[in-house]
Amino acid sequence: MTRQEHGDGNLTSNQLVTPYTGLLTPREHSKGTFITPALDRFYRTHEKMMTRFNSIEFDKIDRGLVTSDDITAVRWAMLLESHYPVYASQFLTSFSANHEMSAFLVLQTYEELMHHATLRSYLVEGEFVDANDLDAEMIEVRAGSWGGRERGYTSLQNYTDGTLQEAGTTRYYRGWSARTKEPVLKGLFGSISKDETRHGQWYLGQAKTALGGNPRGLDEVDQVFLEFDMPGSTFITRHPEYRVAMRGSAVVGAEDVIAVMGKAAELVGLAHMLKLAGSSTFRDKVAGEYNIDAKQVLRHFILKKK
């Protein structure tokens, strides 16, 4: 503890303050501040909005309204979510000196755990899968590695990748929530999509801060944008099979690509994003992997710019 100084440099005799360490911030209000003001705002929303396991009424699943596409969508999403602790362990090591980011990762990991647990219970309690078969596949998934490319990313690149991933994941859950007719699954996907939206906004905020004053920042963001793909190929054994099934269900459309690109535009500006999106690399990715007309996507932003 140190004594408070007057403006003239003299110390008062009785006032004690906590020295600023870079890890803690003064309280914003009487309820205290959760690590930092920014994380405090995230945490208070986290308490109100995160998926609550006890609130999901698995006994009210209407099996007659569940399609084979629904089951595939839940299983693929559950496998992706189940791998998050492996992903987070890498991030926690990378950001060990960043107290705010480390605390956020713990909160995000908890929320992703709830996603995994609720999706798994939906499959098991609804008797849509054999639990032993599901667990065997999960063991294979957890043994898989998180992408080697991302391990070499800078902090800015990790924030950018997180922004794009969470935007894509949000669109996935929101789309299936609208698509499915089964009420329990509709509510579950809708709730998870809100969590993923908040995660994406956090990463976007961190990316904006990291980009400022970084002379190589745009080059780093460009690399992530042009390399970007949703996770799963490095750790889900049956990833090609799931991907084909989801593609057959038209799970990704032009509006979803537009939403993810919109996040990139928020980070680097519309003009720079259009430059990236006009590259042959991007056009080939959109046309080849998602069977979407890149011109249709670009047209949206060009008209918006005008």
Side-chain angles (χ1 to χ4, degrees), residues 61 92 155 161 184:
I61 295 173
L92 283 167
S155 293
D161 191 60
V184 177

mmCIF file of all heavy atoms in Angstrom, residues 61 92 155 161 184:
data_model
loop_
_atom_site.group_PDB
_atom_site.id
_atom_site.type_symbol
_atom_site.label_atom_id
_atom_site.label_comp_id
_atom_site.label_asym_id
_atom_site.label_seq_id
_atom_site.Cartn_x
_atom_site.Cartn_y
_atom_site.Cartn_z
ATOM 1 N N ILE A 61 -38.477 -33.140 -25.374
ATOM 2 C CA ILE A 61 -38.071 -33.227 -26.775
ATOM 3 C C ILE A 61 -39.153 -33.948 -27.578
ATOM 4 O O ILE A 61 -39.608 -35.029 -27.195
ATOM 5 C CB ILE A 61 -36.735 -33.987 -26.909
ATOM 6 C CG1 ILE A 61 -35.592 -33.212 -26.223
ATOM 7 C CG2 ILE A 61 -36.393 -34.217 -28.379
ATOM 8 C CD1 ILE A 61 -34.283 -33.977 -26.162
ATOM 9 N N LEU A 92 -4.455 -20.148 -23.217
ATOM 10 C CA LEU A 92 -4.078 -19.767 -21.862
ATOM 11 C C LEU A 92 -2.566 -19.690 -21.713
ATOM 12 O O LEU A 92 -2.045 -18.842 -20.986
ATOM 13 C CB LEU A 92 -4.670 -20.745 -20.849
ATOM 14 C CG LEU A 92 -6.159 -20.567 -20.564
ATOM 15 C CD1 LEU A 92 -6.710 -21.764 -19.797
ATOM 16 C CD2 LEU A 92 -6.409 -19.275 -19.781
ATOM 17 N N SER A 155 -0.751 -12.251 -31.450
ATOM 18 C CA SER A 155 -1.950 -11.968 -30.661
ATOM 19 C C SER A 155 -3.039 -11.365 -31.533
ATOM 20 O O SER A 155 -4.209 -11.751 -31.458
ATOM 21 C CB SER A 155 -1.615 -11.020 -29.507
ATOM 22 O OG SER A 155 -0.764 -11.640 -28.578
ATOM 23 N N ASP A 161 -8.747 -14.239 -35.831
ATOM 24 C CA ASP A 161 -9.265 -15.580 -36.092
ATOM 25 C C ASP A 161 -10.458 -15.869 -35.173
ATOM 26 O O ASP A 161 -11.466 -16.436 -35.615
ATOM 27 C CB ASP A 161 -8.159 -16.609 -35.871
ATOM 28 C CG ASP A 161 -8.546 -17.996 -36.374
ATOM 29 O OD1 ASP A 161 -8.817 -18.138 -37.572
ATOM 30 O OD2 ASP A 161 -8.579 -18.936 -35.552
ATOM 31 N N VAL A 184 -37.372 -27.688 -28.301
ATOM 32 C CA VAL A 184 -36.253 -27.721 -27.359
ATOM 33 C C VAL A 184 -34.951 -27.404 -28.076
ATOM 34 O O VAL A 184 -34.132 -26.609 -27.603
ATOM 35 C CB VAL A 184 -36.170 -29.090 -26.652
ATOM 36 C CG1 VAL A 184 -34.944 -29.131 -25.728
ATOM 37 C CG2 VAL A 184 -37.436 -29.363 -25.847
#
